[in-house]
Structures are given as C-alpha cells and as structure tokens.
Amino acid sequence: MTKIYGVPEMNILWVAPDVPFHKRYGGSSDISARIESMAKYGHKIHLVCFSKEPVDQHIHKDIEKICASVNIIQRPSAFLYILNPKRPYSAATRYSKVLPQLVDTIDKSFRIDVACLESIQVGEIVPILKKAGIPIVLRLHNIESQYFFEQGRCHKSLPLSLIYKWESMKLISYEKSIYAQSQKILCISCHEAEQLKSLYPDKYIKWLPTSIKFEAEANERGDSGPIIAFSGSMYLPNNIEAVTWFANKVFPQVLSSVPEAEFWIIGRGPSKEVKELGMRQNIRITGEVPNSHRLISEARVIIVPLFHGAGVKIKLLEAIGLGKLVVSTTQAIVGTPLKPDCHVLVADDPENFANLCIRALQEPTVFQDLKFRAKIYFETYHTMEAVGKKLLSELSCFESGENSHA
C-alpha cells in the first residue's frame, strides 16, 4: 500500500453542503482547497454534496479530475421544511432517500476509512455513517446556531429575522447531537474551538485554520491607486450592514481628505440596498466577478467592518495573504490569532475607522512592517500546504490499519 508522509493511502468520504470547486466563496473555498490537498497527497476522495440547481456536466467532470467519485444530490426547495419543529431547514434540505444506499455502495466498493463532514448542515447523514461504522470528522465552519442568530439579529426584515432566529433555536439541540457522534471536531475558528472545548471537555476539539487558494494571476496588477475594497456575498445581512455603515458614516470623511478615493464593493448577489450605494460618488458595485482576488489586489486598503457573525472571515485572510493592508473592526478578527496594530488596523467607531483609512491611503509605506507580519502569519497557518499537513495528521489515525469497521 502506498504511503504519503508515512500515512497509507486512504479512502475518504467527503460530505459537503454545497458543490465545491464550482463557486469559490467563503467556506466553499476552504473545502475545495482541503479536498485538493488530500487528493494531491494521493488519497482517494469520494465526494457527496448538494446543489439547489442542476450542475453542468463540465463542472462535474472537472471535479472528477480531483475526486475518485462524485455524487451531487439535488436539494429540495420546499419552504415547508422551515416549519418542522425539530429539524433545522439547513439540514433537512440536505438529505435524500438515496443517501443510505449511496453510502453503502461507496463503502462496499472502496472501504471508506473516514468521513469528513463539512458543517452541521450535512448532519442528516450521521446516523447512516454510524450504522456503517464509519468514523466521523466534523469540520465546523461556524457554530451554526450562533451564526443564524447573528444573521437574524442584524436583518432589517422582521419575517426573515424571525426565520433566522427560529432556525437558530432548532440548531442548538441539533448541534449537540452531531457533536456527540463525531470522533473529531476541527473548528475554523480558534475562539470557537476554545468555546466548544469548555462545553465538551471530553470531546476531541481542535483549531484547524482555513485553507486559502488564490485564483490565477491574483497579484498581476497590484495597487491601482487610492482604492478601498470590501468583498463578500452581498446578500448576507452582516455584509450589507458592513458596507452600508462604511458608505454612510465613514466614506464621506475619507472623501473629504482624499477626494479621488474609491470604494469598491466586490461580491455576488448584491441586494437592492447595496446596489443603491453604487449610485453615489466614487462607489463601485462589481457584482460577481470571475476573479475576485485580482480585484482585491488592485485595492490599496481592504476593509472588514463587521459587527456581527461567527466563524472566521475568509475575506480578511485572503486580503492579508495577498499582501494587502486591512482595516477591520474588533469583531472581524475574532476567531483568529490576529492582533490589532500587529497584523491589522482596528477601529470600531466611524471617526477612527476613517482616520485609519485616510492614513493608509495617503501614507501606504508607513504600514509595510505590519503587512509583512500579517503575510508571515498567513504563510504559517493558511496556505494549502500548511493546512493540508495538519489535516493529514488529524486523519492519519483513521487509516484502514486502525479502522475496524466492516
């Protein structure tokens, strides 16, 4: 049997809530990078994932170049799932009657060593895996109950706010059940890893940093002038709140000192509120772009003015990995070891946030040491190689020599 870094070749069942490699954003980027790392190490990845809409055959074939087998399951769109008093909507819509037979077929064909579950949202497969005797490693992108509560808290629509909070309530008990049945829990946030460890001292819980892979030609153009940028999914309430706060309370102060400054809002699905910001002086709404990393590279300053949310803000890690100066709020760096004034600039009120942005635009060379320290942090913790080796170490105990499931 072939050994990779001393670990025999493994067959890994990888269960993801969405289709990796398809649209690179947030948690999907982290999932894609880790799958790619394990495949490069020579392990066989058997992907099971879910999609709201049919996936083009060429996308399916591209994923098959990386994974040994690929099964994409169509998610039901029935809104009535929200009314279920116990099962969270986000989990109930990631189940299919074909799953038991599918898992049985994959296991009998390849003898699965371990299942990697990407978030609580794919928890409906857990009883099937337990019955088959397949050990479970849970990747926690957020403590989902907290994430949905925060989204509900900052949503301006009362009906949607109540739906988010209802989902949060159901997730609290659901999470406990999935945690109890997982052999290992690997958190994206060091803060959430500590939080869960204090609640479940007998569970194996560790911080596994986010893996970042940059798109081709990300650094090709570099700084294009006094540009401030924000990137993210622009339909999410916390991102809408962030760019609205900056556009209303901070950017006018920036323009008074740097009239040529521009504010770019980069990301898919901009809401009506976000689109309206694009009608203002020097604000550009890009919508979804083929290469967001290239646009981020053109900016001089990346802002992350978030006040709500959970997990880790991948947009922040992408920015420091690209060598960009980041101005953020305190909340935005929660879950990372990043320190204010050491790796990023931090302010929580409009005036101080504006002053940091103005100085960063006018005197970019002043912060070279800070950017250098941030880049070293990124290369230590968040490259595909660094995360891949840590993950390989975590999975090595499940190789077939020690895994006794039939």
Side-chain angles (χ1 to χ4, degrees):
M1 180 179 289
T2 305
K3 285 195 173 187
I4 306 100
Y5 290 101
V7 179
E9 178 186 292
M10 291 188 290
N11 280 285
I12 305 170
L13 179 66
W14 218 294
V15 189
D18 301 294
V19 182
F21 305 102
H22 179 20
K23 296 180 179 179
R24 290 193 177 271
Y25 54 84
S28 177
S29 298
D30 175 51
I31 297 168
S32 302
R34 283 182 289 108
I35 289 176
E36 191 171 336
S37 292
M38 291 301 101
K40 283 183 177 178
Y41 288 148
H43 300 297
K44 304 300 182 185
I45 309 301
H46 305 277
L47 177 66
V48 174
C49 59
F50 299 84
S51 178
K52 287 183 178 179
E53 60 277 323
V55 176
D56 290 341
Q57 278 300 109
H58 75 274
I59 294 172
H60 200 288
K61 289 180 179 178
D62 285 344
I63 299 174
E64 286 180 333
K65 294 175 183 177
I66 298 169
C67 299
S69 66
V70 179
N71 289 274
I72 301 175
I73 298 172
Q74 188 92 26
R75 287 180 64 187
S77 57
F79 190 75
L80 290 176
Y81 278 100
I82 291 175
L83 302 178
N84 189 300
K86 293 185 178 181
R87 294 171 75 201
Y89 175 84
S90 53
T93 56
R94 290 178 171 91
Y95 177 79
S96 168
K97 292 179 179 178
V98 306
L99 270 180
Q101 182 60 49
L102 178 60
V103 170
D104 184 63
T105 300
I106 295 173
D107 191 30
K108 285 180 177 176
S109 300
F110 303 101
R111 198 176 188 281
I112 297 300
D113 293 295
V114 61
C116 292
L117 272 56
E118 298 289 346
S119 93
I120 293 293
Q121 295 177 355
V122 295
E124 293 296 288
I125 201 172
V126 166
I128 302 168
L129 298 174
K130 297 296 287 185
K131 185 177 180 180
I134 300 173
I136 296 167
V137 173
L138 174 65
R139 172 58 156 174
L140 212 60
H141 294 263
N142 306 285
I143 297 179
E144 294 293 336
S145 57
Q146 294 180 5
Y147 172 79
F148 276 89
F149 181 80
E150 291 294 331
Q151 294 295 335
R153 193 168 73 166
C154 64
H155 211 298
K156 292 186 176 180
S157 164
L158 179 59
L160 287 175
S161 175
L162 292 174
I163 288 172
Y164 275 116
K165 290 178 179 178
W166 171 237
E167 181 78 353
S168 171
M169 290 175 62
K170 291 188 285 185
L171 279 163
I172 291 172
S173 58
Y174 191 81
E175 285 171 333
K176 291 179 181 178
S177 172
I178 305 303
Y179 297 159
Q181 298 177 81
S182 301
Q183 276 64 49
K184 290 187 176 186
I185 301 173
L186 305 177
C187 299
I188 200 172
S189 159
C190 58
H191 171 73
E192 290 180 355
E194 292 172 1
Q195 183 182 352
L196 283 180
K197 192 64 180 175
S198 67
L199 294 172
Y200 307 97
D202 295 331
K203 294 298 296 182
Y204 186 99
I205 300 170
K206 281 193 175 182
W207 173 49
L208 180 73
T210 309
S211 182
I212 304 290
K213 179 184 180 182
F214 291 115
E215 298 168 36
E217 302 175 338
N219 279 304
E220 187 176 284
R221 299 187 67 174
D223 186 335
S224 294
I227 297 166
I228 299 171
F230 177 94
S231 69
S233 297
M234 293 318 306
Y235 57 84
L236 292 176
N238 57 338
N239 288 342
I240 297 170
E241 179 187 47
V243 297
T244 303
W245 177 83
F246 183 82
N248 290 338
K249 298 184 178 182
V250 180
F251 195 51
Q253 297 181 61
V254 174
L255 286 175
S256 67
S257 296
V258 190
E260 69 276 22
E262 297 180 24
F263 176 33
W264 292 2
I265 300 174
I266 305 165
R268 64 195 181 106
S271 67
K272 180 183 177 183
E273 189 174 0
V274 172
K275 289 178 180 177
E276 288 174 353
L277 295 177
M279 300 175 68
R280 300 187 190 180
Q281 177 188 1
N282 292 21
I283 297 181
R284 174 187 174 190
I285 313 298
T286 71
E288 187 168 10
V289 293
N291 191 334
S292 63
H293 293 152
R294 186 170 180 178
L295 277 182
I296 292 169
S297 292
E298 293 186 42
R300 185 169 296 170
V301 178
I302 303 300
I303 58 164
V304 194
L306 296 172
F307 297 94
H308 301 95
V312 166
K313 314 305 175 283
I314 291 178
K315 57 178 76 65
L316 186 154
L317 300 175
E318 290 175 333
I320 64 174
L322 288 167
K324 298 284 109 178
L325 180 62
V326 174
V327 182
S328 83
T329 52
T330 302
Q331 177 62 38
I333 60 172
V334 170
T336 75
L338 294 171
K339 299 184 184 303
D341 300 322
C342 179
H343 304 105
V344 297
L345 300 175
V346 175
D348 294 310
D349 64 277
E351 185 175 356
N352 284 321
F353 205 100
N355 288 338
L356 289 175
C357 289
I358 291 166
R359 191 175 182 207
L361 291 176
Q362 293 179 331
E363 305 174 70
T365 58
V366 170
F367 300 105
Q368 290 301 324
D369 287 348
L370 183 145
K371 290 196 294 182
F372 177 76
R373 288 191 295 270
K375 190 70 180 286
I376 293 297
Y377 162 82
F378 177 89
E379 291 174 351
T380 302
Y381 292 104
H382 296 287
T383 63
M384 286 180 63
E385 182 179 7
V387 177
K389 287 181 178 179
K390 284 185 172 69
L391 180 58
L392 186 62
S393 175
E394 294 294 345
L395 298 181
S396 62
C397 65
F398 298 111
E399 57 90 7
S400 56
E402 297 180 40
N403 177 15
S404 60
H405 92 277

